[in-house]
Amino acid sequence: MFYGIDLSSRLMLGTAQYPSPEILKQAIAASGAEVITVSLRREGAEGVAFREILGACGCRILPNTAGCNSAREAVTTAQMARELFGTNWIKLEVIGHADTLQPDPFALVEAAQILCSEGFEVFPYTTEDLIVGEKLIEAGCGALMPWGAPIGSAQGLRNPDALRSMRAHFPDIPLVVDAGIGAPSQAAQAMEMGFDAVLLNTAVAKALDPVGMARAFGLAVEAGFSGHRSGLMHKRDMAVASTPVFGMAELA
């Protein structure tokens, strides 16, 4: 549940870089995603037609502040997005490093404080740092989006131990692994850790078959969540035979 909204799908899908609007629509449908993200800058560049395409998908729109490098810029972009899309949901991005696209934690918290005070329901794109997560929650955020790896890198969960720690530290906060997911197996791994959802874009949009890849990610996310919910087997140092010794023949 995110800000009081129940979703049946735990996959969130980005809408950039697809070969065509038609393939985008088919990929969204194949993925089963109920939340799609859109950059205000891209929507502004492509106009009303693109917004109509998104509306026809029947998904909840999660506008984002992609490309913003300061708290002030992100707040202004979020305010414009709320007016344009008619939603209080906003994925907050404030980039602090040009090469890694790592979030600026100081500007991120500053922007989150302002937006939460204005009634926004903020999904902050952050690192797996626990202190930053605490500050964002104190600011009023009801969800966190820690990165798996740098955006578009397809490296998967680069720091799984830190992500596990974050999941354990915030047991009651919805957590979405966002960025760096490049394969369905990586998405399943995040869900097996107990995360609430996965957000990705490039791995689907740039696939040879975006529709097929979207379907694969939808299945992987569901499989990973089902595995976590069912209780995964713990790793062992030694082999343990699955066939019982009792009842086996004894040779003299």
Side-chain angles (χ1 to χ4, degrees):
M1 179 180 290
F2 298 94
Y3 292 104
I5 302 298
D6 275 321
L7 302 170
S8 59
S9 172
R10 294 175 182 272
L11 176 64
M12 300 180 179
L13 204 60
T15 58
Q17 306 182 72
Y18 285 82
S20 71
E22 182 59 32
I23 290 178
L24 169 60
K25 289 195 295 183
Q26 292 178 20
I28 292 171
S31 73
E34 294 175 82
V35 175
I36 54 177
T37 65
V38 58
S39 167
L40 182 66
R41 294 185 176 188
R42 179 163 188 252
E43 196 284 333
E46 301 196 21
V48 176
F50 182 64
R51 189 160 72 250
E52 290 177 346
I53 291 171
L54 298 181
C57 293
C59 297
R60 178 175 287 270
I61 303 295
L62 177 59
N64 66 50
T65 62
C68 293
N69 300 105
S70 69
R72 180 178 180 181
E73 187 180 10
V75 168
T76 301
T77 302
Q79 292 167 338
M80 294 170 62
R82 178 160 66 177
E83 184 173 333
L84 185 63
F85 291 103
T87 178
N88 286 325
W89 279 22
I90 190 74
K91 180 190 170 189
L92 179 60
E93 298 182 34
V94 187
I95 301 303
H97 192 276
D99 292 331
T100 64
L101 301 181
Q102 179 173 328
D104 179 337
F106 306 102
L108 184 66
V109 172
E110 179 186 351
Q113 290 171 333
I114 296 171
L115 293 175
C116 288
S117 71
E118 295 182 356
F120 281 90
E121 295 172 325
V122 180
F123 294 75
Y125 166 61
T126 181
T127 63
E128 62 278 268
D129 188 286
L130 300 183
I131 305 303
V132 176
E134 290 279 10
K135 295 298 183 183
L136 289 167
I137 292 169
E138 289 173 8
C141 296
L144 298 173
M145 286 186 155
W147 67 347
I151 295 171
S153 68
Q155 294 179 20
L157 308 187
R158 195 166 63 170
N159 196 345
D161 288 339
L163 287 170
R164 288 191 187 94
S165 295
M166 193 172 206
R167 177 69 281 179
H169 191 73
F170 300 108
D172 301 320
I173 301 295
L175 300 181
V176 181
V177 173
D178 175 21
I181 299 294
S185 58
Q186 296 167 356
Q189 181 187 7
M191 299 307 297
E192 288 173 354
M193 288 182 180
F195 282 86
D196 296 280
V198 168
L199 171 58
L200 56 99
N201 186 167
T202 310
V204 170
K206 291 296 186 179
L208 292 176
D209 177 6
V211 178
M213 188 63 75
R215 184 177 297 108
F217 269 105
L219 294 170
V221 166
E222 180 61 30
F225 174 71
S226 295
H228 171 76
R229 182 176 54 187
S230 301
L232 295 169
M233 179 179 175
H234 295 292
K235 293 182 179 180
R236 296 166 172 168
D237 293 331
M238 299 292 290
V240 178
S242 58
T243 302
V245 176
F246 178 78
M248 292 183 65
E250 295 184 12
L251 302 179

